[in-house]
Amino acid sequence: VRNTLSNYIHEMFNYQVDGSFHYLVDAYQARENQWEFNGRGDYILNDELTLKVFTDLYLSKHSDTTVAYRNMWRFKPMLYLLFNSFDVQGGLNLVYQDDVSYVSNALNVYPVFKVRYALYKWLRPYVGIGGDIQRNSLQGFLQENPLLAPQVTLRHTNQRFVLYGGARGDIVGQISWHAGFSIGEYQNLHCLVN
């Protein structure tokens, strides 16, 4: 179930909020309830500067042999700057998650910075840094692998740091290209020994 509310006439202040609910029971009697709320807003300061805010709230309860509440809140204020052919984005990604059984700190702070340059229509290079907590759930695991064994260990993936870059461009009409790279440091990748 999902519902969305937003202003469709774009003005100086724009917003969008949505929410969803998922309930899952597998053949081994594992249960998972998930509430998800997302919000975004932007305030146009002038032609070059825009302040944007993104937020997500995930409330989940997983029951198998034990019951675990796994909640997460993300707040990401960003400043977008457009000048000449440059598009610069900078801000912070603050993520609070209360599943401290495997991570010592519940609050994680990551820098977010991205620069794009429109050199030509067919060549637009970009580079950026960031980090995040990637939410993992039983529903997501079962979508990746429907034959998953029971009593799976659920942990959010900590993307401690990522450096990425590349270029993209439009060739003609509906034909475009994109090439890039990404280097990162991760903790708690599922299905791997960490």
Side-chain angles (χ1 to χ4, degrees):
V1 178
R2 178 173 287 281
N3 210 344
T4 302
L5 172 69
S6 66
N7 64 331
Y8 291 103
I9 301 172
H10 292 283
E11 298 179 0
M12 280 182 60
F13 176 70
N14 302 297
Y15 65 90
Q16 179 177 343
V17 292
D18 62 52
S20 65
F21 175 74
H22 302 276
Y23 179 73
L24 173 76
V25 177
D26 72 2
Y28 299 103
Q29 297 305 311
R31 297 184 184 326
E32 186 176 64
N33 303 335
Q34 295 184 78
W35 289 93
E36 177 182 349
F37 303 97
N38 309 103
R40 62 176 292 160
D42 61 72
Y43 183 74
I44 300 170
L45 300 170
N46 57 38
D47 290 340
E48 293 87 25
L49 235 75
T50 303
L51 178 64
K52 294 188 179 190
V53 175
F54 305 91
T55 188
D56 304 309
L57 177 64
Y58 302 101
L59 306 172
S60 65
K61 176 184 173 186
H62 176 78
S63 305
D64 205 338
T65 55
T66 61
V67 176
Y69 294 90
R70 303 173 63 244
N71 304 314
M72 188 172 86
W73 179 56
R74 179 181 298 118
F75 181 71
K76 190 165 153 182
M78 301 280 294
L79 189 63
Y80 286 63
L81 174 64
L82 297 170
F83 67 95
N84 296 333
S85 297
F86 284 96
D87 176 3
V88 180
Q89 304 169 17
L92 289 175
N93 187 8
L94 300 119
V95 183
Y96 172 81
Q97 52 94 23
D98 65 358
D99 190 358
V100 293
S101 63
Y102 63 94
V103 177
S104 59
N105 47 340
L107 179 64
N108 295 278
V109 180
Y110 307 97
V112 179
F113 186 73
K114 182 176 182 180
V115 177
R116 292 186 289 196
Y117 181 65
L119 190 61
Y120 300 104
K121 183 179 178 183
W122 54 270
L123 180 61
R124 296 186 306 271
Y126 64 90
V127 66
I129 60 169
D132 202 356
I133 295 284
Q134 297 172 350
R135 183 175 61 98
N136 292 323
S137 66
L138 181 61
Q139 179 186 13
F141 285 179
L142 288 173
Q143 286 175 342
E144 290 179 27
N145 182 3
L147 304 174
L148 192 65
Q151 300 175 5
V152 65
T153 302
L154 292 176
R155 294 182 173 168
H156 299 306
T157 300
N158 186 354
Q159 183 184 32
R160 292 180 174 177
F161 177 79
V162 64
L163 170 68
Y164 60 92
R168 63 177 59 223
D170 298 324
I171 299 171
V172 289
Q174 300 295 320
I175 300 174
S176 61
W177 66 276
H178 181 209
F181 71 92
S182 174
I183 300 169
E185 182 181 342
Y186 294 84
Q187 179 185 16
N188 298 320
L189 282 170
H190 68 280
C191 299
L192 296 174
V193 176
N194 291 292

